[in-house]
Amino acid sequence: MASSYSDFKLASDLSAWKKLEQTYKSEGSEFKVKEAFEKDPKRFEKFSKTFKNFDNSPILFDFSKNLINDEILAQLIALAKEAKVESLRDAMFKGSRINSTEDRAVYHVALRNRALKTMEVDGKDTSKEVDDVLQHMKEFSEEIRSGKWTGYTGKAITDVVNIGIGGSDLGPVMVTEALKAYSKPGLNVHFVSNIDGTHLAETLKGLNQETTLFLIASKTFTTAETTTNANSAKKWFLEGAKENKHIAKHFAALSTNAEEVSKFGIDTKNMFGFENWVGGRYSVWSAIGLSVAIFIGFENFNDFLKGAEAFDAHFVETPLEDNIPVLGGLLSVWYNNFFGAQTHLVAPFDQYLHRFPAYLQQLSMESNGKSVTRGNVFTNYQTGVILFGEPATNAQHSFFQLVHQGTKLIPTDFILAAQSHNPIENNLHQRMLASNFFAQSEALMVGKDEEKVKAEGATGSLVPHKVFAGNRPTTSILAQKITPATLGALIAYYEHLTFVEGAIWNINSFDQWGVELGKVLAKVIGKELDNSNEIESHDGSTNGLINQFKAWSK
């Protein structure tokens, strides 16, 4: 299957890759972005791109502070072409089974097909099926929000608890936090993902069985952590409701397993399905987004989908030279594979986006944390990046020291909205936030040399401690406002950037076999923990840990 989309096994064998290796040695490693600005007054205009969303809300992507020039960019574009990024992209949008190890299509883009154009998988148009689920979500969410849907005592729902894990949790958590400004007062959402009983117990504190709705998010309805939490939630609910018949008014399922859903006690009319071509980390666009639709309203959720749909069109239709996620992905490859940068920082200057880096961690690291190519050989180059981040300005007082003066090159994305949802103190807070957004990227680029340090009054041994090397690459992403459409486009940007990375590295970005081994072993050990017998079936360390746990947990 892989050979249908690429005729190479290793990216390092591509002529464009080898040329970039030479360019890095002769020019890239010594490239000074500050000097590049001095030589080219139009550098910002040349290396920044503006995306206009379907509602005309703009997002500016400024790539000009990166370690590239015209020649380097041209060579990176040549790499994308030789790696057949365009043909793999087109195959994804045609519904081809580009997830070769699981023989599946990768079609989350069909979930935001609000134009209802024909998008087929295996000869079957998905547009009606997707829209039917969305219309079901619309009806359900509007009943909850209006108070028409009531609990077993006739009271309206005030709290929605989403129980899931991985993509069934990270996406809805992030989006509901990011779009909290659009929420309905008096209607709260909560998320439980950790099998640690503390997560569920703390969430249920203060909730009322009469006014709480649970959404159980599990495609198969057999995910161990999710079903365990769901059964504990059901037990808590029945402590107040008493009768099993009331479960139907307080539980809904985001699943495709009607038999297990029904066995749990959920009315299958309140089941919202999605297909196997929807990967977990891409599932917030699907029925998994029901908590989002309830929280912000279906029309806002629809705008969220349409924002991503508009960005999909940009990705498909724009030449590589001006294609925003292609440029972002190529820069990531440039730093990872030629500069030896292992990490990537995403720092949103927006408190509502405080869970955005965590969401991107799964998207990036679960997708591209692979060491075998689609040609079934182990790579001889780095893949994936260690993505991390926290909202600024708080992050400036924790790990930015390392970014500025440490020994590691850490490419960074800064994200800011020009307009705040909370313009308090005559917008003073937003202006202070913006000043830091602009200052950080400038400081990372220009640094501070010894001469300037001395001119500021430093002397002797203190001088080297105040020197900043600068030349640290950043991408600044400036939105007009974080609306549902803007957030949809931002997520789609990072999805497609991740796709471009994987296409160039020739890895399958859409499986996650690395998640499986720990789960398999956990099932074995779980049975061993059901009794008090000492264990000798593992290595010495694991045996010792298990036996000590058993002794201490009695």
Side-chain angles (χ1 to χ4, degrees):
M1 183 66 68
S3 60
S4 301
Y5 308 119
S6 72
D7 54 9
F8 67 97
K9 291 185 177 180
L10 293 169
S12 55
D13 291 337
L14 299 176
S15 59
W17 183 285
K18 293 175 180 177
K19 189 171 184 180
L20 277 163
E21 286 180 323
Q22 295 304 314
T23 299
Y24 170 74
K25 292 175 184 176
S26 64
E27 182 179 357
S29 60
E30 300 298 322
F31 185 85
K32 298 291 186 285
V33 69
K34 180 181 174 183
E35 294 176 6
F37 271 100
E38 292 168 355
K39 293 176 183 176
D40 185 0
K42 293 189 178 295
R43 181 175 171 86
F44 171 74
E45 290 84 351
K46 185 185 299 180
F47 292 115
S48 63
K49 309 293 177 185
T50 300
F51 168 74
K52 282 287 184 70
N53 216 326
F54 77 93
D55 59 355
N56 291 319
S57 58
I59 309 174
L60 172 65
F61 294 80
D62 176 20
F63 298 112
S64 64
K65 290 189 177 77
N66 283 283
L67 310 181
I68 55 169
N69 55 23
D70 292 334
E71 179 188 353
I72 292 169
L73 180 58
Q75 289 184 28
L76 287 168
I77 295 294
L79 175 64
K81 290 180 177 178
E82 191 177 358
K84 295 184 170 58
V85 169
E86 292 160 295
S87 63
L88 187 65
R89 173 200 64 193
D90 294 345
M92 178 175 73
F93 275 83
K94 288 176 182 174
S96 300
R97 298 185 182 189
I98 64 170
N99 180 351
S100 53
T101 61
E102 296 179 303
D103 195 26
R104 292 179 184 173
V106 177
Y107 224 29
H108 49 276
V109 292
L111 297 171
R112 51 227 195 190
N113 173 25
R114 301 316 296 135
L116 300 181
K117 61 187 178 185
T118 300
M119 298 186 74
E120 294 185 347
V121 170
D122 297 330
K124 180 184 176 183
D125 183 20
T126 62
S127 60
K128 184 180 185 305
E129 177 186 359
V130 168
D131 191 57
D132 285 348
V133 173
L134 286 171
Q135 295 310 313
H136 189 193
M137 292 169 64
K138 178 181 180 182
E139 177 186 18
F140 188 83
S141 62
E142 288 178 349
E143 285 195 347
I144 299 296
R145 287 172 63 83
S146 68
K148 182 180 178 181
W149 182 288
T150 60
Y152 68 97
T153 60
K155 295 180 180 179
I157 299 298
T158 59
D159 293 271
V160 177
V161 180
N162 186 94
I163 297 179
I165 198 168
S168 298
D169 173 78
L170 284 167
V173 168
M174 182 273 290
V175 177
T176 52
E177 286 295 307
L179 299 178
K180 188 176 285 186
Y182 296 86
S183 64
K184 177 182 172 65
L187 183 58
N188 308 301
V189 292
H190 314 268
F191 295 88
V192 174
S193 58
N194 201 332
I195 193 60
D196 183 344
T198 299
H199 201 182
L200 182 64
E202 287 293 336
T203 300
L204 295 179
K205 280 182 180 178
L207 298 188
N208 185 341
Q209 286 97 336
E210 297 175 76
T211 58
T212 300
L213 172 72
F214 292 93
L215 305 178
I216 313 304
S218 173
K219 183 186 293 186
T220 63
F221 221 76
T222 57
T223 306
E225 298 91 342
T226 300
T227 54
T228 299
N229 278 327
N231 280 303
S232 295
K234 181 168 72 170
K235 182 178 179 181
W236 171 85
F237 171 73
L238 290 173
E239 286 172 359
K242 307 301 181 186
E243 299 180 52
N244 283 323
K245 67 179 182 180
H246 296 317
I247 291 172
K249 296 291 286 182
H250 290 266
F251 285 79
L254 316 179
S255 178
T256 56
N257 191 338
E259 182 180 351
E260 289 298 322
V261 166
S262 180
K263 190 185 300 182
F264 185 90
I266 296 174
D267 187 340
T268 53
K269 291 178 182 177
N270 302 325
M271 189 174 84
F272 300 80
F274 48 101
E275 296 299 323
N276 68 0
W277 39 257
V278 181
R281 55 193 174 276
Y282 302 96
S283 62
V284 71
W285 316 103
S286 72
I288 292 297
L290 181 59
S291 57
V292 180
I294 293 172
F295 190 56
I296 66 173
F298 184 81
E299 292 309 314
N300 285 321
F301 183 73
N302 198 45
D303 282 352
F304 171 66
L305 299 177
K306 289 169 71 176
E309 179 187 32
F311 204 89
D312 291 342
H314 168 85
F315 182 47
V316 170
E317 298 167 6
T318 307
L320 297 186
E321 293 78 5
D322 296 309
N323 198 304
I324 295 169
V326 170
L327 296 175
L330 287 170
L331 286 169
S332 179
V333 171
W334 178 230
Y335 296 128
N336 191 347
N337 296 104
F338 300 93
F339 284 81
Q342 295 183 329
T343 60
H344 189 98
L345 166 61
V346 177
F349 284 71
D350 190 310
Q351 186 59 31
Y352 282 135
L353 292 176
H354 71 105
R355 295 295 292 165
F356 195 53
Y359 173 79
L360 295 181
Q361 284 178 331
Q362 185 191 26
L363 171 63
S364 176
M365 294 196 281
E366 191 168 83
S367 294
N368 289 340
K370 315 290 171 59
S371 56
V372 178
T373 71
R374 286 181 286 140
N376 307 317
V377 298
F378 284 93
T379 66
N380 57 5
Y381 44 82
Q382 293 290 312
T383 65
V385 294
I386 302 167
L387 192 148
F388 72 105
E390 286 289 333
T393 55
N394 197 48
Q396 293 169 202
H397 295 270
S398 54
F399 53 76
F400 269 44
Q401 170 64 42
L402 178 66
V403 182
H404 279 282
Q405 287 187 302
T407 58
K408 294 172 174 58
L409 180 73
I410 304 177
T412 300
D413 294 352
F414 293 133
I415 304 172
L416 175 75
Q419 297 177 21
S420 172
H421 285 287
N422 301 288
I424 59 177
E425 298 288 344
N426 196 27
N427 219 29
L428 170 64
H429 288 255
Q430 193 68 4
R431 293 197 302 276
M432 289 181 66
L433 188 68
S435 68
N436 281 277
F437 171 82
F438 300 125
Q440 286 294 331
S441 62
E442 183 179 34
L444 284 165
M445 179 184 74
V446 301
K448 187 188 289 187
D449 60 21
E450 186 175 313
E451 183 180 348
K452 190 167 185 179
V453 170
K454 289 179 177 178
E456 291 176 348
T459 59
S461 61
L462 186 60
V463 171
H465 295 277
K466 291 198 168 187
V467 169
F468 290 72
N471 211 44
R472 308 287 171 109
T474 61
T475 296
S476 296
I477 302 173
L478 179 62
Q480 185 172 32
K481 193 172 187 176
I482 302 298
T483 64
T486 301
L487 182 65
L490 274 176
I491 297 172
Y493 164 70
Y494 281 101
E495 284 181 353
H496 296 321
L497 181 159
T498 303
F499 171 93
V500 171
E501 291 173 328
I504 291 172
W505 291 322
N506 198 23
I507 56 178
N508 180 6
S509 300
F510 306 105
D511 60 13
Q512 52 280 329
W513 299 108
V515 179
E516 299 300 317
L517 180 57
K519 287 184 176 181
V520 172
L521 293 177
K523 287 182 180 179
V524 174
I525 293 173
K527 293 178 181 177
E528 294 173 336
L529 295 177
D530 288 339
N531 58 64
S532 59
N533 300 334
E534 282 210 355
I535 296 300
E536 298 180 354
S537 55
H538 303 276
D539 62 271
S541 170
T542 306
N543 288 335
L545 288 166
I546 291 174
N547 292 330
Q548 189 64 75
F549 172 84
K550 286 188 173 191
W552 282 352
S553 63
K554 287 181 180 178

